[in-house]
């Protein structure tokens, strides 16, 4: 099974900061990587598909990049509503594993 | 509007069984791949199982293979997860999720989740 390793597991940032989260795959997964945002007690929200395409309705301060084994999620100018936990997931083959998550906290 | 609503969670003893349901509206589950994803208290997301959109294929995480069975009833547009031989480590909120399409990755719709607690 393909493993996804996210880093860091948590970070502290201020409103207006640029934040970058990394997701590394154990095997080449092309661009079959997606990102979600999850707030406490809520279901995940779909943010990015195909590694770099923004889901409809998601603010443009979110962006994704990468292919193969190394991927990043970037939030430019962090907003108060962006404090949450972010997960990557691959769709290369089954099982569809998730990364361990990155919690973005207020500094 | 696409909506997913899980039910069937609760407290069950180790070794017991439970059936989760996910009622879908706003789309036909027969046309989409559907999955179950769980989240243990304070932990990350774990993909559990999927059923193909157009075909009969079913897929499972190693942690549940042989104990859980995914199925769907297209006549009432409902997804199920039959869980047997439950263990303490199966305690989690269980979400059903809809894949965007056969050609596009990602789960674009999720239910609110149902809590399963395995404890004596």
């Amino acid at each position: 099974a393909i493993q996804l390793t996210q880093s860091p597991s948590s970070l502290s940032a201020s409103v207006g900061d640029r934040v970058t989260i990394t997701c590394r795959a154990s095997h080449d997964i092309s661009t079959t990587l997606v990102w979600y945002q999850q707030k406490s007690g809520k279901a995940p929200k779909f943010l990015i598909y195909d590694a770099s395409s923004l889901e409809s309705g998601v603010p443009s301060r979110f962006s994704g990049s990468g292919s193969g084994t190394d991927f990043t999620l970037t939030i430019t100018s962090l907003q108060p509503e962006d404090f949450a936990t972010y997960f990557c997931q691959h769709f290369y083959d089954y099982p569809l594993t998730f990364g361990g998550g990155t919690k973005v906290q207020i500094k | 509007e696409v909506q997913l609503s899980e039910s069937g969670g609760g407290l069950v003893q180790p070794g017991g069984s439970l059936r989760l349901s996910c009622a879908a509206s706003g789309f036909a589950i027969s046309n989409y791949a559907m999955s179950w994803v769980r989240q243990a208290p304070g932990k990350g997301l774990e993909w559990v199982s999927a059923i193909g959109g157009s075909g009969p294929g079913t897929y499972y995480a190693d942690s549940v293979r042989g104990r859980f069975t995914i199925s769907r009833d297209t006549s009432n547009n409902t997804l199920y997860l039959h869980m047997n031989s439950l263990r303490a480590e199966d305690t989690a909120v269980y979400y059903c999720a809809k894949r965007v399409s056969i050609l596009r990755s990602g789960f674009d719709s999720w239910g609110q989740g149902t809590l399963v607690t395995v404890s004596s």
Side-chain angles (χ1 to χ4, degrees):
Chain A
I2 294 170
Q3 309 297 322
L4 296 179
T5 303
Q6 273 185 250
S7 61
S9 56
S10 66
L11 64 90
S12 296
S14 300
V15 172
D17 283 355
R18 178 186 179 96
V19 167
T20 299
I21 298 168
T22 296
C23 180
R24 175 162 289 175
S26 60
H27 299 86
D28 186 337
I29 59 169
S30 184
T31 56
T32 63
L33 192 93
V34 304
W35 291 94
Y36 303 94
Q37 175 195 69
Q38 187 182 34
K39 296 184 178 179
S40 182
K42 301 294 186 181
K45 176 186 175 183
F46 188 34
L47 297 178
I48 287 172
Y49 62 95
D50 293 347
S52 61
S53 298
L54 206 62
E55 174 68 351
S56 176
V58 174
S60 59
R61 62 181 179 272
F62 290 90
S63 65
S65 66
S67 66
T69 60
D70 293 312
F71 303 86
T72 59
L73 172 70
T74 300
I75 311 170
T76 57
S77 190
L78 198 67
Q79 298 301 299
E81 60 268 30
D82 301 336
F83 292 96
T85 302
Y86 295 84
F87 294 92
C88 58
Q89 182 192 21
H90 81 82
F91 277 76
Y92 187 76
D93 62 3
Y94 289 104
L96 307 178
T97 49
F98 289 88
T102 297
K103 185 172 185 178
V104 177
Q105 303 176 97
I106 301 173
K107 182 184 285 185
Chain B
E1 181 191 5
V2 170
Q3 287 192 324
L4 297 168
S5 180
E6 302 93 339
S7 61
L11 175 63
V12 61
Q13 292 189 337
S17 299
L18 212 55
R19 187 186 77 165
L20 305 183
S21 301
C22 171
S25 60
F27 73 103
I29 63 170
S30 58
N31 294 334
Y32 292 87
M34 300 291 296
S35 277
W36 288 96
V37 175
R38 69 184 181 183
Q39 188 168 36
K43 301 298 184 182
L45 300 170
E46 180 186 15
W47 174 82
V48 172
S49 181
I51 187 165
S54 57
T58 56
Y59 310 89
Y60 299 94
D62 287 346
S63 58
V64 306
R65 185 175 292 112
R67 300 187 299 123
F68 290 11
T69 302
I70 190 171
S71 65
R72 62 187 167 199
D73 183 340
T74 56
S75 65
N76 62 17
N77 217 30
T78 300
L79 180 73
Y80 299 101
L81 186 67
H82 306 257
M83 305 186 295
N84 297 321
S85 303
L86 283 161
R87 307 166 180 167
E89 54 265 37
D90 296 318
T91 294
V93 173
Y94 285 73
Y95 297 99
C96 62
K98 168 189 163 289
R99 181 167 175 164
V100 177
S101 71
I102 285 179
L103 296 180
R104 257 186 57 188
S105 303
F107 298 142
D108 62 348
S109 297
W110 298 66
Q112 82 286 353
T114 187
L115 177 63
V116 172
T117 303
V118 184
S119 175
S120 55

Coordinates of all heavy atoms in Angstrom, one line a residue, chain B residues 22-93:
Chain B
C22 N -26.0 4.8 4.9 CA -25.8 6.2 4.4 C -26.8 6.5 3.3 O -26.8 5.9 2.2 CB -24.4 6.2 3.8 SG -24.0 7.8 2.9
A23 N -27.8 7.3 3.7 CA -28.9 7.6 2.7 C -28.4 8.8 1.9 O -28.0 9.8 2.4 CB -30.1 8.0 3.5
A24 N -28.5 8.6 0.6 CA -28.1 9.6 -0.4 C -29.3 10.3 -1.1 O -30.3 9.6 -1.3 CB -27.2 9.0 -1.4
S25 N -29.1 11.6 -1.3 CA -30.1 12.3 -2.1 C -29.4 13.3 -3.0 O -28.3 13.7 -2.8 CB -31.1 13.0 -1.2 OG -30.4 13.9 -0.3
G26 N -30.1 13.7 -4.1 CA -29.6 14.6 -5.0 C -28.7 14.0 -6.1 O -28.3 14.7 -7.0
F27 N -28.5 12.7 -6.0 CA -27.7 11.9 -7.1 C -28.0 10.5 -6.9 O -28.5 10.0 -5.9 CB -26.2 12.2 -7.0 CG -25.6 11.6 -5.8 CD1 -24.8 10.4 -6.0 CD2 -25.7 12.1 -4.5 CE1 -24.2 9.8 -4.9 CE2 -25.1 11.5 -3.4 CZ -24.3 10.3 -3.6
A28 N -27.7 9.7 -7.9 CA -27.9 8.2 -7.8 C -26.5 7.5 -7.5 O -25.5 7.7 -8.2 CB -28.3 7.7 -9.2
I29 N -26.5 6.8 -6.4 CA -25.3 6.2 -5.9 C -24.8 5.1 -6.9 O -23.6 4.8 -6.9 CB -25.4 5.6 -4.5 CG1 -26.4 4.4 -4.5 CG2 -25.7 6.6 -3.5 CD1 -26.4 3.6 -3.2
S30 N -25.7 4.7 -7.8 CA -25.3 3.7 -8.8 C -24.3 4.2 -9.8 O -23.6 3.5 -10.5 CB -26.5 3.1 -9.5 OG -27.2 4.1 -10.1
N31 N -24.3 5.6 -9.9 CA -23.4 6.2 -10.9 C -22.1 6.7 -10.4 O -21.3 7.3 -11.1 CB -24.2 7.4 -11.5 CG -25.4 7.0 -12.3 OD1 -25.5 5.9 -12.8 ND2 -26.4 7.9 -12.4
Y32 N -21.9 6.5 -9.1 CA -20.6 7.0 -8.5 C -20.0 6.0 -7.6 O -20.7 5.2 -6.9 CB -21.0 8.3 -7.6 CG -21.4 9.5 -8.4 CD1 -22.8 9.6 -8.8 CD2 -20.5 10.4 -8.9 CE1 -23.2 10.7 -9.5 CE2 -20.9 11.5 -9.7 CZ -22.2 11.6 -10.0 OH -22.6 12.7 -10.7
A33 N -18.7 6.0 -7.5 CA -18.0 5.2 -6.5 C -18.2 5.9 -5.1 O -18.1 7.1 -5.0 CB -16.5 5.2 -6.8
M34 N -18.5 5.1 -4.2 CA -18.7 5.5 -2.8 C -17.8 4.9 -1.8 O -17.4 3.7 -2.0 CB -20.2 5.2 -2.4 CG -21.3 5.8 -3.3 SD -21.4 7.6 -3.1 CE -21.9 7.7 -1.4
S35 N -17.4 5.6 -0.8 CA -16.5 5.0 0.2 C -17.0 5.3 1.6 O -17.8 6.2 1.9 CB -15.1 5.7 0.1 OG -14.3 5.2 -0.9
W36 N -16.4 4.5 2.5 CA -16.5 4.8 4.0 C -15.1 5.2 4.4 O -14.1 4.5 4.1 CB -17.0 3.5 4.7 CG -18.4 3.2 4.5 CD1 -19.0 2.3 3.6 CD2 -19.6 3.8 5.2 NE1 -20.3 2.3 3.6 CE2 -20.7 3.2 4.6 CE3 -19.7 4.7 6.2 CZ2 -22.0 3.5 5.1 CZ3 -21.0 5.0 6.7 CH2 -22.1 4.4 6.1
V37 N -15.1 6.2 5.3 CA -13.9 6.7 5.9 C -14.1 6.9 7.3 O -15.2 7.3 7.7 CB -13.5 8.1 5.2 CG1 -12.3 8.7 5.9 CG2 -13.2 8.0 3.7
R38 N -13.2 6.5 8.2 CA -13.4 6.6 9.6 C -12.3 7.5 10.2 O -11.3 7.7 9.7 CB -13.5 5.3 10.3 CG -12.2 4.5 10.3 CD -12.4 3.1 10.9 NE -11.2 2.3 10.9 CZ -11.1 1.0 11.3 NH1 -12.2 0.4 11.7 NH2 -9.9 0.4 11.4
Q39 N -12.7 8.0 11.4 CA -11.7 8.8 12.2 C -11.9 8.5 13.7 O -12.9 8.8 14.3 CB -12.1 10.3 11.9 CG -11.0 11.2 12.5 CD -11.2 12.7 12.0 OE1 -12.3 13.1 11.8 NE2 -10.1 13.4 11.8
A40 N -10.9 7.8 14.2 CA -10.8 7.5 15.6 C -10.7 8.8 16.4 O -10.2 9.8 15.9 CB -9.7 6.6 15.9
P41 N -11.2 8.8 17.7 CA -11.2 10.1 18.5 C -9.8 10.7 18.5 O -8.8 10.0 18.9 CB -11.6 9.6 19.8 CG -12.5 8.4 19.6 CD -11.8 7.7 18.4
G42 N -9.7 11.9 18.1 CA -8.4 12.7 18.2 C -7.4 12.2 17.1 O -6.2 12.7 17.2
K43 N -7.8 11.4 16.2 CA -6.8 10.8 15.2 C -7.1 11.3 13.8 O -8.1 12.1 13.6 CB -6.9 9.3 15.2 CG -6.5 8.7 16.6 CD -5.1 9.0 17.1 CE -4.8 8.3 18.4 NZ -3.4 8.7 18.8
G44 N -6.4 10.9 12.9 CA -6.5 11.3 11.5 C -7.6 10.4 10.7 O -8.3 9.6 11.3
L45 N -7.7 10.7 9.4 CA -8.7 10.0 8.6 C -8.1 8.7 8.1 O -6.9 8.6 7.8 CB -9.0 10.9 7.4 CG -9.6 12.2 7.7 CD1 -9.7 13.1 6.5 CD2 -11.0 12.1 8.3
E46 N -9.0 7.7 8.1 CA -8.6 6.3 7.6 C -9.6 5.9 6.6 O -10.8 5.7 6.9 CB -8.5 5.3 8.7 CG -8.1 3.9 8.2 CD -8.1 2.9 9.3 OE1 -8.6 3.1 10.4 OE2 -7.5 1.8 9.1
W47 N -9.2 5.7 5.3 CA -10.1 5.1 4.3 C -10.4 3.7 4.7 O -9.5 2.9 5.1 CB -9.5 5.2 3.0 CG -10.3 4.5 1.9 CD1 -11.4 5.0 1.2 CD2 -10.1 3.2 1.4 NE1 -11.9 4.1 0.4 CE2 -11.1 2.9 0.5 CE3 -9.2 2.2 1.7 CZ2 -11.2 1.7 -0.2 CZ3 -9.3 1.0 1.1 CH2 -10.3 0.7 0.1
V48 N -11.7 3.2 4.6 CA -12.1 1.9 5.1 C -12.5 1.0 3.9 O -12.0 -0.1 3.9 CB -13.3 2.1 6.1 CG1 -13.8 0.7 6.4 CG2 -12.8 2.8 7.3
S49 N -13.3 1.5 3.1 CA -13.9 0.6 2.0 C -14.5 1.5 0.9 O -14.9 2.6 1.1 CB -14.9 -0.3 2.6 OG -15.5 -1.2 1.7
A50 N -14.6 0.9 -0.3 CA -15.2 1.5 -1.4 C -15.9 0.5 -2.2 O -15.6 -0.7 -2.3 CB -14.1 2.2 -2.3
I51 N -16.9 1.1 -3.0 CA -17.7 0.3 -3.9 C -17.7 1.0 -5.2 O -17.9 2.2 -5.2 CB -19.1 -0.1 -3.4 CG1 -19.8 -1.1 -4.3 CG2 -19.9 1.2 -3.2 CD1 -21.0 -1.7 -3.7
G52 N -17.4 0.3 -6.3 CA -17.3 1.0 -7.6 C -18.6 1.6 -8.1 O -19.7 1.2 -7.7
G53 N -18.5 2.6 -8.9 CA -19.6 3.3 -9.4 C -20.4 2.5 -10.4 O -21.6 2.3 -10.3
S54 N -19.7 2.0 -11.4 CA -20.4 1.3 -12.5 C -20.4 -0.2 -12.4 O -21.2 -0.9 -12.9 CB -19.9 1.7 -13.8 OG -18.5 1.4 -13.9
G55 N -19.5 -0.7 -11.6 CA -19.3 -2.2 -11.5 C -19.5 -2.7 -10.1 O -19.8 -1.9 -9.2
P56 N -19.3 -4.0 -10.0 CA -19.6 -4.6 -8.6 C -18.4 -4.6 -7.7 O -18.4 -5.2 -6.6 CB -19.9 -6.1 -9.0 CG -19.1 -6.3 -10.2 CD -19.0 -5.0 -11.0
G57 N -17.3 -4.0 -8.2 CA -16.0 -4.1 -7.4 C -16.1 -3.5 -6.0 O -16.7 -2.4 -5.9
T58 N -15.6 -4.2 -5.1 CA -15.5 -3.7 -3.7 C -14.0 -3.7 -3.2 O -13.3 -4.6 -3.7 CB -16.4 -4.5 -2.7 OG1 -16.0 -5.8 -2.8 CG2 -17.9 -4.3 -3.1
Y59 N -13.7 -2.8 -2.4 CA -12.3 -2.7 -1.9 C -12.3 -2.4 -0.4 O -13.2 -1.7 0.1 CB -11.6 -1.5 -2.7 CG -11.8 -1.6 -4.2 CD1 -12.9 -1.0 -4.8 CD2 -10.9 -2.3 -5.0 CE1 -13.1 -1.1 -6.2 CE2 -11.1 -2.4 -6.4 CZ -12.2 -1.8 -6.9 OH -12.4 -1.9 -8.3
Y60 N -11.2 -2.9 0.2 CA -11.1 -2.8 1.7 C -9.7 -2.4 2.2 O -8.8 -2.9 1.5 CB -11.6 -4.1 2.3 CG -13.0 -4.5 2.0 CD1 -13.3 -5.3 1.0 CD2 -14.1 -4.0 2.8 CE1 -14.6 -5.6 0.6 CE2 -15.4 -4.3 2.4 CZ -15.6 -5.1 1.4 OH -16.9 -5.4 1.1
A61 N -9.7 -1.7 3.3 CA -8.4 -1.6 3.9 C -8.0 -2.9 4.6 O -8.9 -3.7 5.0 CB -8.5 -0.5 5.0
D62 N -6.7 -3.1 4.7 CA -6.3 -4.4 5.3 C -6.8 -4.5 6.7 O -7.1 -5.7 7.2 CB -4.8 -4.4 5.4 CG -4.1 -4.6 4.0 OD1 -4.8 -5.0 3.1 OD2 -2.9 -4.4 3.9
S63 N -7.0 -3.4 7.4 CA -7.5 -3.5 8.8 C -8.9 -4.0 9.0 O -9.3 -4.4 10.1 CB -7.4 -2.1 9.5 OG -8.1 -1.1 8.7
V64 N -9.7 -4.0 7.9 CA -11.1 -4.4 8.0 C -11.4 -5.6 7.1 O -12.6 -6.1 7.2 CB -12.1 -3.2 7.8 CG1 -11.7 -2.1 8.7 CG2 -12.1 -2.8 6.3
R65 N -10.5 -5.9 6.2 CA -10.8 -6.9 5.2 C -11.2 -8.3 5.9 O -10.5 -8.7 6.8 CB -9.7 -7.2 4.2 CG -10.0 -8.2 3.1 CD -8.9 -8.3 2.1 NE -8.7 -7.0 1.3 CZ -7.7 -6.2 1.4 NH1 -6.7 -6.5 2.3 NH2 -7.6 -5.1 0.7
G66 N -12.3 -8.9 5.5 CA -12.7 -10.1 6.1 C -13.7 -9.9 7.2 O -14.4 -10.9 7.7
R67 N -13.8 -8.7 7.7 CA -14.7 -8.4 8.8 C -15.8 -7.4 8.4 O -17.0 -7.5 8.9 CB -14.0 -7.8 10.0 CG -12.9 -8.7 10.6 CD -12.3 -8.0 11.9 NE -11.7 -6.7 11.6 CZ -12.0 -5.6 12.3 NH1 -13.0 -5.6 13.2 NH2 -11.4 -4.5 12.0
F68 N -15.5 -6.5 7.5 CA -16.5 -5.5 7.0 C -16.9 -5.9 5.6 O -16.1 -6.4 4.8 CB -15.9 -4.1 7.1 CG -15.6 -3.5 8.4 CD1 -15.7 -4.3 9.6 CD2 -15.3 -2.2 8.6 CE1 -15.5 -3.8 10.8 CE2 -15.1 -1.6 9.8 CZ -15.1 -2.4 10.9
T69 N -18.1 -5.5 5.3 CA -18.7 -5.7 3.9 C -19.4 -4.4 3.5 O -20.3 -4.0 4.2 CB -19.6 -6.9 3.8 OG1 -18.9 -8.1 4.2 CG2 -20.1 -7.1 2.4
I70 N -19.0 -3.9 2.4 CA -19.7 -2.7 1.8 C -20.7 -3.2 0.8 O -20.5 -4.2 0.1 CB -18.7 -1.7 1.2 CG1 -19.4 -0.4 0.8 CG2 -18.0 -2.3 0.0 CD1 -18.4 0.7 0.4
S71 N -21.9 -2.5 0.8 CA -22.9 -2.9 -0.2 C -23.8 -1.6 -0.5 O -23.6 -0.6 0.2 CB -23.8 -4.0 0.3 OG -24.5 -3.7 1.4
R72 N -24.6 -1.8 -1.4 CA -25.5 -0.6 -1.7 C -26.9 -1.2 -2.2 O -26.9 -2.3 -2.8 CB -24.9 0.3 -2.8 CG -24.7 -0.3 -4.1 CD -24.0 0.6 -5.1 NE -23.5 -0.1 -6.2 CZ -22.5 0.3 -7.0 NH1 -21.9 1.5 -6.8 NH2 -22.1 -0.4 -8.1
D73 N -27.9 -0.4 -2.0 CA -29.3 -0.7 -2.5 C -29.7 0.4 -3.3 O -30.0 1.5 -2.9 CB -30.2 -0.9 -1.3 CG -31.6 -1.3 -1.7 OD1 -32.0 -1.0 -2.9 OD2 -32.4 -1.8 -0.9
T74 N -29.6 0.2 -4.6 CA -29.9 1.3 -5.6 C -31.4 1.7 -5.6 O -31.7 2.8 -6.0 CB -29.4 1.0 -7.0 OG1 -30.0 -0.2 -7.4 CG2 -27.9 0.8 -7.0
S75 N -32.2 0.8 -5.2 CA -33.7 1.1 -5.2 C -34.0 2.1 -4.1 O -34.9 2.9 -4.3 CB -34.5 -0.2 -4.9 OG -34.2 -0.7 -3.6
N76 N -33.3 2.2 -3.0 CA -33.5 3.2 -2.0 C -32.3 4.1 -1.8 O -32.2 4.9 -0.9 CB -34.0 2.7 -0.7 CG -33.0 1.8 0.0 OD1 -31.8 1.8 -0.4 ND2 -33.4 1.0 1.0
N77 N -31.4 4.0 -2.8 CA -30.2 5.0 -2.9 C -29.5 5.0 -1.6 O -29.2 6.1 -1.1 CB -30.7 6.4 -3.3 CG -29.8 7.1 -4.2 OD1 -29.0 6.5 -5.0 ND2 -29.7 8.4 -4.1
T78 N -29.2 3.9 -1.0 CA -28.5 3.8 0.3 C -27.3 2.9 0.2 O -27.3 1.8 -0.4 CB -29.5 3.3 1.3 OG1 -30.6 4.2 1.4 CG2 -28.8 3.2 2.7
L79 N -26.2 3.4 0.8 CA -25.0 2.7 1.0 C -24.9 2.1 2.4 O -25.4 2.7 3.3 CB -23.8 3.7 0.8 CG -22.4 3.1 0.9 CD1 -22.0 2.3 -0.3 CD2 -21.4 4.3 1.1
Y80 N -24.3 0.9 2.5 CA -24.2 0.2 3.8 C -22.8 -0.2 4.1 O -22.0 -0.4 3.2 CB -25.1 -1.1 3.8 CG -26.6 -0.8 3.6 CD1 -27.1 -1.0 2.3 CD2 -27.4 -0.3 4.6 CE1 -28.5 -0.8 2.1 CE2 -28.7 -0.1 4.4 CZ -29.3 -0.3 3.1 OH -30.6 -0.1 2.9
L81 N -22.5 -0.4 5.4 CA -21.3 -1.0 5.8 C -21.7 -2.0 6.9 O -22.1 -1.6 8.0 CB -20.3 0.0 6.4 CG -18.9 -0.5 6.7 CD1 -18.2 -1.0 5.4 CD2 -18.1 0.5 7.4
H82 N -21.5 -3.3 6.6 CA -21.8 -4.3 7.6 C -20.5 -4.6 8.3 O -19.5 -5.0 7.7 CB -22.3 -5.6 6.9 CG -23.5 -5.3 6.0 ND1 -24.8 -5.7 6.3 CD2 -23.5 -4.8 4.7 CE1 -25.6 -5.3 5.3 NE2 -24.9 -4.8 4.4
M83 N -20.5 -4.5 9.6 CA -19.3 -4.6 10.4 C -19.5 -5.8 11.4 O -20.4 -5.8 12.2 CB -19.0 -3.3 11.2 CG -18.9 -2.1 10.3 SD -18.4 -0.6 11.1 CE -19.8 -0.4 12.2
N84 N -18.6 -6.8 11.3 CA -18.6 -7.9 12.1 C -17.3 -8.0 12.9 O -16.3 -7.4 12.6 CB -18.8 -9.2 11.3 CG -20.1 -9.3 10.6 OD1 -21.1 -8.9 11.1 ND2 -20.1 -9.8 9.4
S85 N -17.3 -8.9 14.0 CA -16.1 -9.1 14.8 C -15.5 -7.8 15.2 O -14.2 -7.6 15.0 CB -15.1 -10.0 14.0 OG -15.7 -11.2 13.6
L86 N -16.3 -6.9 15.7 CA -15.8 -5.5 16.0 C -14.8 -5.6 17.2 O -14.9 -6.4 18.1 CB -16.9 -4.6 16.3 CG -17.7 -4.1 15.1 CD1 -19.1 -3.6 15.4 CD2 -16.9 -3.1 14.4
R87 N -13.8 -4.7 17.0 CA -12.7 -4.5 18.0 C -12.7 -3.1 18.6 O -13.2 -2.2 18.0 CB -11.4 -4.8 17.3 CG -11.3 -6.1 16.5 CD -10.1 -6.1 15.6 NE -10.0 -7.4 14.9 CZ -9.2 -7.6 13.8 NH1 -8.4 -6.6 13.4 NH2 -9.1 -8.7 13.2
A88 N -12.0 -3.0 19.7 CA -11.9 -1.7 20.3 C -11.3 -0.6 19.3 O -11.7 0.5 19.3 CB -11.1 -1.7 21.6
E89 N -10.4 -1.1 18.5 CA -9.7 -0.2 17.6 C -10.6 0.2 16.4 O -10.2 1.1 15.6 CB -8.4 -0.8 17.0 CG -8.5 -2.1 16.4 CD -8.2 -3.3 17.4 OE1 -8.6 -3.1 18.6 OE2 -7.6 -4.3 17.0
D90 N -11.8 -0.3 16.3 CA -12.8 0.1 15.3 C -13.6 1.3 15.8 O -14.4 1.9 15.0 CB -13.7 -1.0 14.9 CG -13.0 -2.2 14.3 OD1 -12.1 -1.9 13.4 OD2 -13.4 -3.3 14.6
T91 N -13.4 1.7 17.0 CA -14.1 2.9 17.6 C -13.7 4.1 16.8 O -12.5 4.5 16.7 CB -13.8 3.1 19.1 OG1 -14.3 1.9 19.8 CG2 -14.4 4.4 19.6
A92 N -14.7 4.8 16.2 CA -14.4 5.9 15.4 C -15.7 6.6 14.9 O -16.8 6.0 15.0 CB -13.6 5.5 14.1
V93 N -15.6 7.8 14.4 CA -16.7 8.3 13.6 C -16.6 7.8 12.2 O -15.5 7.9 11.6 CB -16.7 9.9 13.6 CG1 -17.7 10.5 12.6 CG2 -16.9 10.4 15.0

